[in-house]
Amino acid sequence: MYDALRPLLFKLSPEGSHELALDLISAAGRLGLTGLGRQPGRLPVQVMGLEFPNPVGLAAGLDKNGTAIDGFAGLGFGFVEIGTVTPRPQPGNPKPRLFRLEQAEAIINRMGFNNAGVDALIERVRAARFKGVLGINIGKNADTPVERAVDDYLIGLDRVYAHASYITVNVSSPNTPGLRSLQFGDALKSLLESLRQRQEDLAVRHGRRVPIAIKIAPDMTDEEIVLTAQAIRDAGMDAIIATNTTLGREGVENLPYAAEAGGLSGAPVREKSTHVVRVLAGELGGRLPIIAAGGILSGEDAAEKIAAGASLVQLYSGFIYRGPALIREAVDAIAAARP
Ligand SMILES: Cc1cc2nc3c(=O)[nH]c(=O)nc-3n(C[C@H](O)[C@H](O)[C@H](O)COP(=O)(O)O)c2cc1C
């Protein structure tokens, strides 16, 4: 069915088709229609102490406000990550800010955390029927100085804690100035220390420990990846998500829109993201789970991430180009590659 729908969606502006697709998935979820298609087989995995029915999830940014949780879950995703959400609502960057590079099966975006704020997101989560694994991805408002970023993350943590299966701390969007500096050195260590302390307090208060995953960028040297991994592990965090979009343009240099500012995702980021997963896995040696995202456009790509050391995968651009069939294809390929 997506084969018939895609040409129509791709005739609209990228952001117009994004909104329409989200409305359709949300409405179909409300009516229980998304669950009618062929579902992926069960492939249960335990990660971060949580039980996943299959290892293929929805990546952050597609459902920033949590308006279509039931719809996405019905399509067969093993887990759904919503957000990035910021403490206060904000409009994001001026449009146009989303571009399709169709020949490369890629997307460039500089959305800039457009979202309705954490209170609105929590209302949506409360209204959802979904009982599976829900990740909530938190960020900072654009007008919060980066030196005070920790305040925004702690507000996010406090507010979403009771509603999330796990919480992702996004320090890797390229579209919020200064954000990526939080991935390195003392800025990272002090952020992680604050998060860990607050996580302990919240665990006592709520009688439940909610795992925290840190989401990192693909644009790091191997040395930087290792240092970041060590800091995240030493701080007692629960997982690493690798990766966000890239600032690189390798492989798309001559295509329309390649010169647009923002993060590149889809097929051109695949190898870079897999490389980060491999370096992380080498350093962490299984002591901290890795959730892989970046350029998964086929079942084979998903299996490649697992072979590189990931325990779970997430889809964004591949879902735009391939539709819901990719979920089942990815689950099947991961199952087939199991020893
Ligand atoms: C339009 C768009 C918006 C995104 N917004 C977010 C976001 O709000 N938070 C986040 O952590 N990642 C965001 N991402 C990154 C994706 O979650 C994913 O990490 C990245 O696109 C790589 O996966 P892919 O190649 O399958 O798209 C966004 C990606 C796209 C294309």
Side-chain angles (χ1 to χ4, degrees), residues 241-262:
I241 304 188
T243 67
N244 214 309
T245 57
T246 179
L247 285 168
R249 291 294 184 265
E250 298 86 1
V252 302
E253 294 92 337
N254 300 315
L255 295 180
Y257 306 121
E260 291 290 346

Side-chain angles (χ1 to χ4, degrees), residues 133-294:
V133 177
L134 181 72
I136 304 184
N137 180 310
I138 58 174
K140 77 163 197 74
N141 278 111
D143 59 5
T144 300
V146 76
E147 309 78 60
R148 299 224 318 268
V150 62
D151 299 350
D152 277 11
Y153 288 107
L154 292 178
I155 293 170
L157 206 57
D158 285 345
R159 299 286 290 120
V160 307
Y161 194 90
H163 308 279
S165 310
Y166 72 91
I167 297 165
T168 299
V169 172
N170 181 5
V171 284
S172 48
S173 167
N175 302 314
T176 295
L179 195 79
R180 284 183 164 196
S181 66
L182 300 170
Q183 299 179 111
F184 305 108
D186 290 343
L188 175 66
K189 289 200 180 112
S190 109
L191 172 65
L192 295 174
E193 181 52 27
S194 303
L195 291 170
R196 194 193 57 77
Q197 271 180 20
R198 186 62 61 91
Q199 182 191 31
E200 271 176 28
D201 296 348
L202 289 164
V204 171
R205 198 180 318 156
H206 292 269
R208 177 172 77 105
R209 188 175 182 284
V210 177
I212 299 180
I214 308 294
K215 183 162 177 179
I216 65 171
D219 305 318
M220 294 193 199
T221 64
D222 288 3
E223 201 185 346
E224 287 171 337
I225 299 169
V226 166
L227 289 173
T228 299
Q230 287 170 348
I232 293 171
R233 181 197 58 209
D234 294 350
M237 296 289 117
D238 302 280
I240 301 185
I241 304 188
T243 67
N244 214 309
T245 57
T246 179
L247 285 168
R249 291 294 184 265
E250 298 86 1
V252 302
E253 294 92 337
N254 300 315
L255 295 180
Y257 306 121
E260 291 290 346
L264 173 70
S265 59
V269 77
R270 194 194 89 226
E271 275 182 31
K272 235 186 220 183
S273 296
T274 304
H275 177 77
V276 176
V277 171
R278 211 171 274 125
V279 175
L280 286 173
E283 176 58 29
L284 297 168
R287 273 166 301 172
L288 205 64
I290 301 163
I291 303 170

Side-chain angles (χ1 to χ4, degrees), residues 24-45:
L24 289 173
I25 293 170
S26 170
R30 266 196 307 281
L31 298 169
L33 297 177
T34 51
L36 298 179
R38 240 180 85 203
Q39 295 287 309
R42 273 185 64 78
L43 187 60
V45 279

